[in-house]
Structures are given as structure tokens and as C-alpha cells.
Amino acid sequence: MLKYLLVLLVCCSTAFSQLKEKQAPLMGYNAHMSDAPRWQQEKFEQSLSKLHPNTLRYPGGSNSFYWDWKKGWTLSYSELLPFLQKSNFLINGKTIETEQEFRSLTKLNKKKNPFWRQVNRYNAKTPRNDKISDFAYAIKSQNAQAVFTLNLITSTIENEIEMLKEAQRNNIEIKYIELGNEINSENLITKHFYPNAKAYTDTCIIWSLKILKEFPNAKIGVVGGNKNKRMAQWNQTLVTAINKHFSKQKKQFHFILHYYPHFKSPVFDYNNHKQYKQLIAFAKMDLKQRLKWWQWDATSEFDTWVTEYNLIEPQPYSINNKWIHALFSSNLINEIISQTDAKMLHYHSIGSKKFPVFAAIEMMNDKMELSSSGLATSLWNRLTYQSYNFKKETTKGEQWKVDFQSKLSCECPNNPKLATNVEIDPLQIYSSQRSGLKTILVTNLSEKNNTIDLLNYGIKNARVENYFAELKDEKWINETQNKKGEINIPSYSIVYIKEIK
């Protein structure tokens, strides 16, 4: 009898593992702490709700190096200087002696290193002084989850834990914590405090032990690296240390990756169909090469968090807020998920007047409207919100074969050093379920119309939202209606399909 019970238990266990539901990744936005209106500003709040953010990242990216959560702003020149002096931060072998000297050096060097550029930028802005209570308002009003990026540069673990406790007192769940932002960057201040992988790893161990003591269920992200000599064996050093010190808690650790396809002038001419394909396929080619360069396979036993992604292009921003940006952003998400299986993605950022290419909400001229990339990311947010059985559906259409010449043999600054080629699917279909109902997101990158049959996905009736435009357009067309059976997928479109009963 015992033998049969054991067989039954094994069979049940196997069946359960086969039926295990894959959770959709968390998707949201980098917080707007220094570039947008206050969270409570009505027009901004309404626009933010149209993005459907699953997560909001506080306080953001590089501002976390200098962030003082108690005042809700970055450290001023006068506040930062004593800290630099105490830590023996040297410029040309000398200590910065006075605030006036600090200001002069910043003005002189602001184009030479991110440190000077950041100090100049944050001190040039009018402080908003957003406190934890203000961030709590945004989390509650958007029904989002908080991701905290801790200050590992100009703060202490005791101070940062107190920030997390203050957030908890404001009814924010402490679940997702990043140990710093881009500690692997070639920034004077990050290089000073973390000159090598061991320095950062040692800090991660000390901070993680204290964080997990206070918040035992927290998930912790560590910054992945391996970009240059300073970061040699960065990922491997972190992996070894986590396995040694947190063997029973290793599932609570994740590796953080930031990815920005960086286009240099001239950008691929997307009005030329061959170059349009190269522009769309760039993310697949570029991310594949970067993951190899970053030795990301060393982190394979841990999940990936992509806490910043977007594209970067120089002025005059030929891609930004054109419909091509929406299609590029949707495909960029597809490539990140396909190549890293990321469990968290944060678009950079909600909005900015200075860096419009980063904006999900178009803030130029105080429009407060969704940009094309904001629309694309909002549709992905809706697909993944509290969803399960998340997967990429197979398609049978023709694949694009895209060739990239070597930039050494042509005037093509965006091309790789060595000639290469990739294949991409111009019709991408993702599905998920929520409350027993299926949701589908279709991105048609092609100039040709397409069709799909809802019955093939087990859907009898659905609400179908078609979004499409010409590549150069800043405004899109939206056609929404209830459908059944075969539906049209327009050229250059993103289609959101929600099952209805």
C-alpha cells in the first residue's frame, strides 16, 4: 500500500510541475524624481495612470548616488563636499577644499565625466523635496509596487534601512531592493568607492545580511558587470559570494542589467525599408553582443532584473515620439525578454523636459500626453499586470534576415565591428492570463497587413484595440471594437486583445 502511495505522490508532483504557471515579468518605470511634476499634480497623475505602471523605481538612477531621502532631494554642493573630503576623494591628487572650488571644477569638467555632469544637473534644478510620503501617494494611487534603489555611495546601511522602515510606515510593501545603481559605471565617484569587484561584493554581503534581518522576505538585486578591466570577474565574484553566504536564500537574489541601444549620427534611415529592418533588428544584434561582452551567462542561476532600458539617440531626435519609436520599444521588450528572461523591466523614464527621448509621457510644452513609446510600454504593462501563463506564441510567418556590414568597411557608426546577420520575426505574439481570461499583445513590424484567428488561442469573443500609424507620424490611429474569429492586424501596428465573456 505504501508503495502505491509513493507512486501516486510522485505522479501528482510531476503533474503539478507540468502545470506550473509562469508569472509575467513586472513592468514599470524609473521614477521621475528630478524631471517631472509632483506626484499629486492632477494632470500628471491622470497621465501616469494611462501608463498602467506595475512598478515605480525610487528614487531613480544616478540621482541615487546623492539622494537624501529625508529631504527628498539630492545633496547640494555644500552637503556633498564634506562627504567627499572625509572619504579622501581626490581630483588631480588633491582634495577639493571649498564649495567655490567644487562649483568651479564642476563647471569646468561637466562634459568630461558623468560625476561632474550629474552634480551640475541636480544642483541646477529647483528642489522638489519629494518625501517618502509623496512616493507612497504615487504607489497607492497607481496600485503599483515599489522598487527601492539604495544609496551605496553617500549614505549608510543604517540610514537606508531607516528609509525602508519609513516607507513601511507609509504602507509601502518592502519587497524589491537594488543594491545601488550602475556601480559598474566609469563614474569618478563609483570608481572611487568601488574600485573592483571585491569592494562591491563585500558591501553587498554586509548590506544584504542587515537587510534580510530586517526584511526577511525581500528580494535583492545586485549590479551585474564585467565591462572592462576594473570589472574583471565582477559577475563571477558576486555569484561565488552569494552562493557562499546566502545558500538558503539565493532565490531572493537577482542580477541587475541596464540596456540602452545607443544610436550615433547618422541614424538608420527608417524611410528606407532595408535600413528600417536594420534599425528594428539592431536591438537583437546589439544585445546579443553585449550579453556576451558582459559575460552574462555567469549569472545564469539567478534571475535578471532590467531596471533601466530605452534607446539613446542624439539631437534632433529623429526617432523620438515617432511611431517608429513605439515599434522599436515593443521589439526591444521582446528582445530583452527573449535573451534574458528578465523578471522585471523598467522603462527610462516616466517623463523629462530635458531628455525627451527618455519620456513615456511627453512633457515638452507641458503636453502631458503619452508618447508613442509610452503607449507601447503601457500596452505591455496591461498584458503583464498580475498575469500568469505568460508566453511567446509561435508564428509561422517568414522571418526577416537582416545583414549588418562592418562599420570598419563603411560609414555606418551604428554597425558592429565585424559583419554579422540576425533573424527576427516581424510578427510577435505574446499571451497571458488574468482572472481566467486571456490577453494577447501582437506587434506587427511589417509593412504588410496580417491576420490571426482568435479561436486558435481559445478565445471566442474579445475586445480588440488596434494602434497603428505611418512610421514618421507622431499621432497614431486607434480602432477599438468587439471581435470574434479572424481579426486584422494592420501594418506597423500594436494590437491589444482582451478576452471577454
Side-chain angles (χ1 to χ4, degrees):
M1 184 66 178
L2 180 60
K3 178 180 179 182
Y4 292 116
L5 285 173
L6 289 172
V7 171
L8 181 62
L9 285 170
V10 170
C11 291
C12 289
S13 176
T14 303
F16 177 77
S17 64
Q18 291 173 343
L19 294 172
K20 187 176 180 181
E21 300 170 339
K22 181 179 179 181
Q23 290 297 120
L26 287 165
M27 291 190 177
Y29 299 89
N30 209 34
H32 70 296
M33 305 310 294
S34 60
D35 289 308
R38 297 185 70 87
W39 298 107
Q40 296 91 336
Q41 205 266 3
E42 184 177 4
K43 192 174 180 181
F44 174 70
E45 186 180 350
Q46 290 172 350
S47 296
L48 180 59
S49 67
K50 293 177 183 177
L51 290 174
H52 307 279
N54 300 336
T55 57
L56 294 172
R57 181 178 180 238
Y58 173 97
S62 60
N63 58 353
S64 66
F65 298 156
Y66 321 98
W67 192 254
D68 181 348
W69 66 269
K70 291 179 181 177
K71 71 174 187 176
W73 197 252
T74 52
L75 299 173
S76 65
Y77 284 110
S78 60
E79 292 168 327
L80 179 57
L81 181 56
F83 184 86
L84 297 179
Q85 292 171 335
K86 184 178 178 181
S87 64
N88 198 32
F89 182 83
L90 305 178
I91 298 299
N92 297 323
K94 298 179 181 179
T95 302
I96 304 173
E97 297 293 344
T98 65
E99 181 182 339
Q100 183 178 357
E101 182 187 4
F102 193 7
R103 288 176 179 271
S104 297
L105 284 168
T106 300
K107 185 176 181 180
L108 181 66
N109 295 293
K110 64 182 180 180
K111 294 185 178 180
K112 296 182 180 179
N113 188 270
F115 168 70
W116 302 113
R117 189 161 60 247
Q118 290 157 6
V119 171
N120 178 72
R121 182 166 73 239
Y122 298 134
N123 278 277
K125 296 178 182 294
T126 302
R128 283 224 328 265
N129 299 321
D130 266 346
K131 305 291 182 65
I132 292 294
S133 57
D134 295 297
F135 182 57
Y137 177 89
I139 291 295
K140 183 178 180 180
S141 69
Q142 302 302 322
N143 195 27
Q145 297 188 69
V147 179
F148 289 96
T149 308
L150 303 191
N151 181 352
L152 269 69
I153 304 291
T154 58
S155 186
T156 64
I157 179 58
E158 291 77 18
N159 189 41
E160 296 301 287
I161 285 179
E162 185 56 35
M163 177 190 72
L164 297 174
K165 288 181 177 179
E166 177 66 11
Q168 198 172 54
R169 287 191 286 268
N170 279 269
N171 299 313
I172 299 178
E173 182 183 12
I174 307 303
K175 192 172 182 180
Y176 304 104
I177 298 171
E178 293 183 89
L179 294 182
N181 171 80
E182 297 186 2
I183 302 297
N184 55 359
S185 65
E186 289 300 283
N187 185 313
L188 290 178
I189 201 166
T190 57
K191 290 169 66 175
H192 173 68
F193 288 100
Y194 300 101
N196 51 48
K198 185 179 184 303
Y200 177 61
T201 300
D202 290 346
T203 298
C204 286
I205 299 306
I206 294 170
W207 283 49
S208 295
L209 286 169
K210 293 185 178 181
I211 289 168
L212 292 175
K213 183 177 179 180
E214 296 287 345
F215 308 100
N217 296 320
K219 296 179 182 293
I220 296 176
V222 298
V223 178
N226 287 40
K227 291 183 180 179
N228 51 41
K229 289 182 179 180
R230 169 180 161 242
M231 289 168 274
Q233 302 302 307
W234 186 286
N235 291 337
Q236 294 90 332
T237 303
L238 279 165
V239 167
T240 300
I242 293 169
N243 282 327
K244 177 181 177 180
H245 295 276
F246 301 99
S247 58
K248 294 182 180 180
Q249 299 157 302
K250 64 182 294 183
K251 291 296 182 182
Q252 292 176 244
F253 285 82
H254 311 264
F255 272 73
I256 299 166
L257 178 151
H258 289 177
Y259 178 54
Y260 292 94
H262 192 169
F263 293 103
K264 301 175 182 178
S265 183
V267 176
F268 296 113
D269 179 6
Y270 57 78
N271 294 306
N272 176 304
H273 195 62
K274 179 180 178 181
Q275 291 189 47
Y276 163 74
K277 289 182 178 180
Q278 290 177 322
L279 174 62
I280 291 294
F282 184 87
K284 181 167 187 175
M285 178 273 294
D286 185 58
L287 180 57
K288 183 178 180 181
Q289 293 189 353
R290 287 176 183 265
L291 290 172
K292 183 177 180 180
W293 177 32
W294 298 335
Q295 299 176 31
W296 208 253
D297 57 347
T299 74
S300 60
E301 58 189 294
F302 297 90
D303 289 334
T304 294
W305 288 353
V306 179
T307 56
E308 287 185 25
Y309 74 96
N310 200 339
L311 62 81
I312 297 176
E313 65 164 341
Q315 293 187 25
Y317 305 128
S318 62
I319 300 172
N320 175 58
N321 207 22
K322 308 294 193 302
W323 185 244
I324 180 66
H325 195 179
L327 298 176
F328 184 91
S329 296
S330 190
N331 182 61
L332 178 57
I333 294 170
N334 162 66
E335 288 302 333
I336 291 172
I337 291 173
S338 299
Q339 296 194 47
T340 71
D341 193 25
K343 297 300 187 291
M344 180 187 294
L345 291 87
H346 282 129
Y347 188 76
H348 192 303
S349 64
I350 293 172
S352 169
K353 291 185 177 182
K354 293 292 185 180
F355 302 100
V357 71
F358 288 167
I361 297 175
E362 182 57 66
M363 294 183 183
M364 303 296 284
N365 302 316
D366 296 317
K367 288 182 179 180
M368 292 294 173
E369 298 173 354
L370 294 196
S371 66
S372 61
S373 58
L375 171 69
T377 54
S378 75
L379 295 174
W380 276 93
N381 294 341
R382 290 168 65 189
L383 174 75
T384 56
Y385 179 72
Q386 295 183 351
S387 295
Y388 58 92
N389 282 351
F390 176 79
K391 63 178 179 179
K392 185 175 185 179
E393 303 283 353
T394 57
T395 57
K396 299 179 181 179
E398 182 180 354
Q399 300 287 298
W400 282 351
K401 296 182 179 180
V402 184
D403 296 318
F404 292 90
Q405 289 179 265
S406 166
K407 67 180 178 182
L408 302 177
S409 61
C410 66
E411 294 182 8
C412 312
N414 299 302
N415 286 26
K417 288 184 179 180
L418 299 177
T420 189
N421 58 75
V422 295
E423 285 191 0
I424 68 169
D425 192 339
L427 187 70
Q428 298 163 5
I429 305 175
Y430 280 82
S431 67
S432 66
Q433 284 185 281
R434 182 168 59 251
S435 303
L437 298 177
K438 181 167 282 190
T439 303
I440 295 175
L441 188 68
V442 185
T443 303
N444 184 6
L445 303 169
S446 173
E447 78 285 5
K448 301 176 182 177
N449 289 352
N450 216 311
T451 59
I452 66 169
D453 194 329
L454 294 177
L455 289 176
N456 291 338
Y457 303 94
I459 298 176
K460 293 182 179 180
N461 299 288
R463 186 74 170 166
V464 179
E465 301 174 27
N466 272 341
Y467 298 91
F468 56 95
E470 294 297 320
L471 297 176
K472 67 180 185 304
D473 291 348
E474 292 191 7
K475 297 294 183 182
W476 55 85
I477 298 170
N478 169 221
E479 295 178 351
T480 300
Q481 52 189 311
N482 293 346
K483 290 278 190 176
K484 59 176 63 177
E486 190 172 86
I487 64 170
N488 180 49
I489 308 296
S491 61
Y492 302 135
S493 68
I494 305 176
V495 181
Y496 181 81
I497 303 166
K498 184 176 181 181
E499 182 180 12
I500 56 177
K501 294 297 184 182

